[in-house]
Amino acid sequence: MIKKKIALTGDRPTGKLHLGHYVGSLATRIRLQEDHKQYVMIADAQALTDYAHDPQRVRENILQVALDYLAVGIDPQKTTFFIQSLIPPIAELTIYFLNLVTWNRLKHNPTVKAEIQQKGYGEEVPAGFMIYPVSQAADITIVKADVVPVGDDQLPMIEQTVELVRKFNRLYKTECLIEPKALLSPMARLPGTDGLAKMGKSLGNAIFLADIPDEITKKVKGMYTDPNHLRVEDPGKVEGNPVFTYLDAFASDKEKVEDLKNHYRRGGLGDSVVKKYLLEVLLAFLEPIRKKREELAKDPKYVMDLLFRGTDQVNVIAHQTLKEVRQSMGIDYV
Ligand code: TRP
């Protein structure tokens, strides 16, 4: 039997997941679980790197994120879920990795830089936040992941992980750590309902997997389109028009989407008609997800137990990796 490739990915539990998460990585995970040994981690410790003031929010969202996973069809029979902070070897490996990266290198991570700007930290960046890419490298390597399905904003983290693995293996003359590969989503990043490049839970431009039909309706009606498409007769722009980007991502009738695009470009097709169709598509996509989510939410203990059982399994593997790490470094005193 050939050994299955190992996949690991995760999310920070700071809010419910949305359509951007679906397109960016949940869809890939549903696919990967069929032929990979897949781990999905709830990154509560990483969430605390910028939510240290609100651990309660992180705690509450562990269940919410787990519900989202199960509702979209990440299958606990095929995927192992776990909670990051309950795996002590991740923290220990992070400490050793920190000695193999320079402060200067950390300062130049483009995603971290953008986040520092967005959060308005200025010079007062929490040190834990600054080093989260290193702890993410430990998340990935502790289970010896081969692939990491992520959105493009996470590419710098995978690059950082590869650098650390190479450095570790070279320095300690070992092959115990595995270089992971990023697996990018086949679909482009989903813009926000406001037309901004990224859908974000804190940006007020997201459609959540748990949204009820009334909310979805309100959000789709209020969506940004082509600002120059003032009258129905005017030709409209399809590129950069999030209504069409969403249709590309979620409508299965590709021919109908092409027809709508052509008509819109020619002129004579009103925004409200396109939005009405998008609403139909999204309601049909999200309805079964919401129903399943509501059903599962009635039994939070079942869901939390799944996470705890997965965590136990991962701890066994993580301790084994850590043992090899300590042996390679020659600090296996006991
Ligand atoms: N940084 C990721 C995000 O913000 C979450 C994450 C933490 C992650 N650890 C990971 C993703 C390991 C992939 C692999 O979405």
Side-chain angles (χ1 to χ4, degrees):
M1 202 182 85
I2 20 171
K3 200 169 152 279
K4 276 190 189 173
K5 292 255 185 220
I6 299 171
L8 173 123
T9 185
D11 298 279
R12 300 178 179 202
T14 54
K16 292 177 184 157
L17 303 183
H18 51 61
L19 290 179
H21 292 111
Y22 189 87
V23 167
S25 90
L26 296 175
T28 315
R29 300 179 201 181
I30 296 165
R31 207 159 35 78
L32 279 184
Q33 66 185 349
E34 298 305 328
D35 55 357
H36 285 67
K37 170 72 218 152
Q38 175 162 259
Y39 299 99
V40 171
M41 179 187 74
I42 301 191
D44 61 334
Q46 189 179 107
L48 287 168
T49 64
D50 59 333
Y51 277 91
H53 56 284
D54 197 359
Q56 190 55 30
R57 171 168 172 161
V58 173
R59 179 175 186 151
E60 283 162 8
N61 279 300
I62 291 176
L63 175 65
Q64 296 307 318
V65 169
L67 287 170
D68 286 328
Y69 290 159
L70 296 171
V72 297
I74 304 180
D75 179 349
Q77 305 287 339
K78 300 175 180 163
T79 294
T80 305
F81 300 104
F82 69 101
I83 299 175
Q84 183 188 31
S85 70
L86 295 178
I87 312 288
I90 292 177
E92 189 176 331
L93 183 55
T94 301
I95 298 274
Y96 304 139
F97 274 169
L98 279 169
N99 301 322
L100 305 183
V101 63
T102 67
W103 190 243
N104 198 41
R105 170 71 178 89
L106 289 174
K107 278 197 307 204
H108 291 108
N109 182 307
T111 298
V112 174
K113 263 164 73 177
E115 287 171 335
I116 288 172
Q117 271 251 317
Q118 193 199 323
K119 293 173 201 293
Y121 283 142
E123 293 295 307
E124 302 302 317
V125 188
F129 186 80
M130 206 59 206
I131 65 133
Y132 89 72
V134 178
S135 118
Q136 189 159 334
D139 301 335
I140 296 168
T141 45
I142 206 82
V143 300
K144 306 201 177 195
D146 301 290
V147 287
V148 187
V150 284
D152 56 4
D153 61 318
Q154 295 296 303
L155 286 178
M157 311 305 166
I158 314 302
E159 210 178 292
Q160 178 74 82
T161 306
V162 168
E163 281 175 34
L164 281 163
V165 168
R166 286 194 184 147
K167 187 140 193 199
F168 184 96
N169 285 350
R170 191 163 10 93
L171 187 62
Y172 301 118
K173 301 191 175 37
T174 172
E175 285 174 1
C176 78
L177 298 183
I178 304 294
E179 279 182 33
K181 281 196 176 51
L183 191 69
L184 271 187
S185 155
M187 274 190 274
R189 177 192 283 187
L190 207 65
T193 52
D194 55 1
L196 277 184
K198 185 174 172 176
M199 184 180 280
K201 43 194 158 200
S202 52
L203 301 173
N205 65 3
I207 296 177
F208 293 92
L209 297 170
D211 276 351
I212 57 169
D214 275 359
E215 281 169 296
I216 303 167
T217 307
K218 213 164 62 200
K219 288 176 182 177
V220 170
K221 280 197 175 146
M223 270 180 80
Y224 174 93
T225 59
D226 170 6
N228 296 317
H229 186 237
L230 296 174
R231 291 168 308 175
V232 173
E233 314 85 82
D234 293 338
K237 252 184 85 169
V238 164
E239 284 68 34
N241 187 333
V243 177
F244 285 100
T245 316
Y246 288 18
L247 281 177
D248 280 336
F250 294 102
S252 43
D253 191 345
K254 301 295 171 206
E255 221 170 294
K256 171 150 184 177
V257 174
E258 276 318 300
D259 287 347
L260 284 172
K261 283 184 181 172
N262 289 332
H263 194 173
Y264 195 81
R265 286 194 183 101
R266 261 196 330 267
L269 180 60
D271 283 348
S272 63
V273 179
V274 191
K275 284 182 175 178
K276 192 160 165 266
Y277 178 52
L278 175 62
L279 184 60
E280 227 176 84
V281 166
L282 288 183
L283 287 176
F285 175 75
L286 289 168
E287 180 72 359
I289 295 175
R290 198 188 81 250
K291 286 235 170 89
K292 188 160 175 204
R293 202 180 186 288
E294 279 170 2
E295 208 43 52
L296 288 157
K298 290 181 191 155
D299 194 356
K301 186 173 177 308
Y302 162 78
V303 179
M304 292 309 289
D305 279 348
L306 270 180
L307 298 182
F308 295 142
R309 252 185 289 139
T311 300
D312 286 345
Q313 289 172 27
V314 172
N315 254 323
V316 174
I317 296 158
H319 276 101
Q320 176 57 34
T321 305
L322 193 61
K323 193 170 157 197
E324 294 166 27
V325 161
R326 295 192 62 128
Q327 274 168 356
S328 307
M329 295 174 71
I331 57 169
D332 48 338
Y333 318 122
V334 285

